Amino acid sequence: MFTATLSPPNSAQTSAIPDDLFAAIEDLKQELNAVILAHYYQEPDIQDIADYIGDSLELARKAANTNADVIVFAGVHFMAETAKILNPNKLVLLPDLDAGCSLADSCPPDAFGEFKAAHPDHIVISYINCSAAIKAMSDIICTSSNAVKLVLQIPENQPIIFAPDRNLGRYVMEQTGRDMVLWQGSCMVHETFSEKKIVQLKIQHPAAEIIAHPECEPPVLRHANYVGSTSALLNYVQNSDSSVFIVATEPGIIHQMQKQAPDKLFIPAPPMNSCACNECPHMRLNTLEKLYLAMKNRAPEITLPEDTRMAALRPIQRMLEMSA
């Protein structure tokens, strides 16, 4: 499990937040020799201040190759952990320590260890959306961008455990024809989309294309014109001839879609109820103010036991080699 040191901001620190946070963060970046990595699901202000925006694979590559002394990861725990795994001698900061991940939490290390032991002849391919402890028990890490490519490189006679997302695993099985043993984890955001409401939206916008992330449930994927990772969805809307899209993934990506294709309309796929459940509550815990305070206070800092870090590093390196 990850550990972190946290110096909670006191009232004096909070009241000292500057009016121009963008300028203050830029100053701190220079002072610390820091790089800000942000996932597409972050709030627009954080995306706009980030040095690099991407999905899990893109950000892992940036973390592996950065020359910065400090990595500020505007994302969730497992992403900051991945940056620390790849950069043991760098200071890795997470703006809000409570920014976890429902998918990672759905795969407890003890239970997964028993699951793995029950399938001793299987290799373990784990989606990057998992804790460092699960990565340490894995043979290969994958992302939604490269999961199909990596599974196709595994000999057909080699049994595979795929963890922790059952929906991504099911999608990879369909795309590759490979039978895999799936850990039954899931993402709370991608399970909340309403098939009925998406169909109703399609009726209202008959020219719209439905695009979806493979973490979505099968009934949603069946209606999709295109299924892909977050970055693949972004690339798709830029190159598609369509001008209207129903977007079945966390709606933070729509900020980048609107910037890259301002003449097109992007409609967030609706959840089953009237709440904003298609927004990841963990991702949205990070704010521009918290990012500034993390840089100012050099905390919360992500740290890992060295044995866990080294064990988790090997499958990440194998992913980067196999997806090159």
Side-chain angles (χ1 to χ4, degrees):
M1 298 293 289
F2 81 90
T3 58
T5 57
L6 172 60
S7 300
N10 57 38
S11 58
Q13 289 173 318
T14 304
S15 63
I17 292 176
D19 292 332
D20 190 343
L21 279 170
F22 283 89
I25 290 170
E26 289 294 341
D27 289 343
L28 283 170
K29 278 168 55 178
Q30 299 304 313
E31 177 185 333
L32 299 174
N33 186 28
V35 64
I36 299 174
L37 307 180
H39 194 273
Y40 287 125
Y41 297 167
Q42 292 295 288
E43 66 172 43
D45 280 348
I46 290 179
Q47 292 187 41
D48 290 342
I49 197 67
D51 297 289
Y52 299 105
I53 311 164
D55 63 10
S56 297
L57 177 59
E58 293 167 329
L59 295 176
R61 284 174 170 154
K62 293 298 183 184
N65 296 320
T66 183
N67 293 320
D69 296 317
V70 177
I71 299 173
V72 186
F73 215 117
V76 292
H77 283 155
F78 76 81
M79 297 178 180
E81 284 182 335
T82 301
K84 187 64 178 181
I85 290 165
L86 293 164
N87 297 276
N89 298 319
K90 297 182 187 296
L91 178 64
V92 177
L93 303 174
L94 183 66
D96 192 311
L97 199 60
D98 291 328
C101 172
S102 60
L103 177 55
D105 291 345
S106 73
C107 191
D110 290 346
F112 186 71
E114 295 176 2
F115 183 80
K116 179 182 175 180
H119 302 86
D121 58 338
H122 290 55
I123 67 166
V124 178
I125 300 179
S126 292
Y127 187 26
I128 200 168
N129 297 35
C130 64
S131 68
I134 299 299
K135 289 180 175 70
M137 286 189 268
S138 305
D139 297 288
I140 304 169
I141 299 302
C142 72
T143 71
S144 54
S145 297
N146 62 21
V148 170
K149 179 179 180 179
L150 298 189
V151 168
L152 287 173
Q153 295 179 56
I154 306 303
E156 292 187 7
N157 61 351
Q158 173 60 64
I160 298 171
I161 291 173
F162 189 93
D165 191 274
R166 65 188 177 209
N167 290 322
L168 177 58
R170 189 183 296 116
Y171 174 78
V172 172
M173 288 171 61
E174 292 173 355
Q175 296 300 304
T176 63
R178 294 294 300 271
D179 187 26
M180 301 188 297
V181 176
L182 305 181
W183 176 266
Q184 295 298 306
S186 62
C187 167
M188 62 186 292
V189 170
H190 289 94
E191 282 200 322
T192 193
F193 295 116
S194 166
E195 178 190 13
K196 179 180 178 181
K197 291 181 180 179
I198 288 173
V199 171
Q200 290 172 339
L201 263 182
K202 177 67 174 177
I203 293 171
Q204 296 170 22
H205 303 273
E209 285 195 83
I210 299 170
I211 59 174
H213 193 283
E215 287 182 37
C216 292
E217 295 274 79
V220 172
L221 295 183
R222 280 197 293 270
H223 294 283
N225 300 95
Y226 180 76
V227 178
S229 68
T230 318
S231 59
L233 296 179
L234 179 59
N235 291 333
Y236 181 80
V237 300
Q238 293 177 71
N239 296 317
S240 172
D241 292 333
S242 297
S243 59
V244 182
F245 299 89
I246 298 168
V247 182
T249 191
E250 214 281 353
I253 185 61
I254 291 178
H255 179 61
Q256 291 301 316
M257 290 177 172
Q258 290 171 333
K259 290 175 70 173
Q260 299 298 325
D263 56 332
K264 298 183 178 183
L265 175 63
F266 303 100
I267 305 169
M272 296 177 190
N273 52 34
S274 59
C275 72
C277 304
N278 55 350
E279 293 185 357
C280 176
H282 304 292
M283 286 280 188
R284 301 307 174 101
L285 286 175
N286 295 313
T287 64
L288 206 60
E289 292 82 0
K290 291 176 184 177
L291 191 149
Y292 166 79
L293 288 172
M295 297 177 73
K296 186 73 174 176
N297 300 329
R298 278 66 160 173
E301 177 188 359
I302 299 298
T303 62
L304 289 168
E306 183 61 10
D307 58 343
T308 300
R309 190 194 72 80
M310 286 298 298
L313 177 62
R314 287 187 286 271
I316 294 174
Q317 288 177 325
R318 192 169 184 196
M319 173 191 74
L320 294 173
E321 292 165 359
M322 293 174 69
S323 60

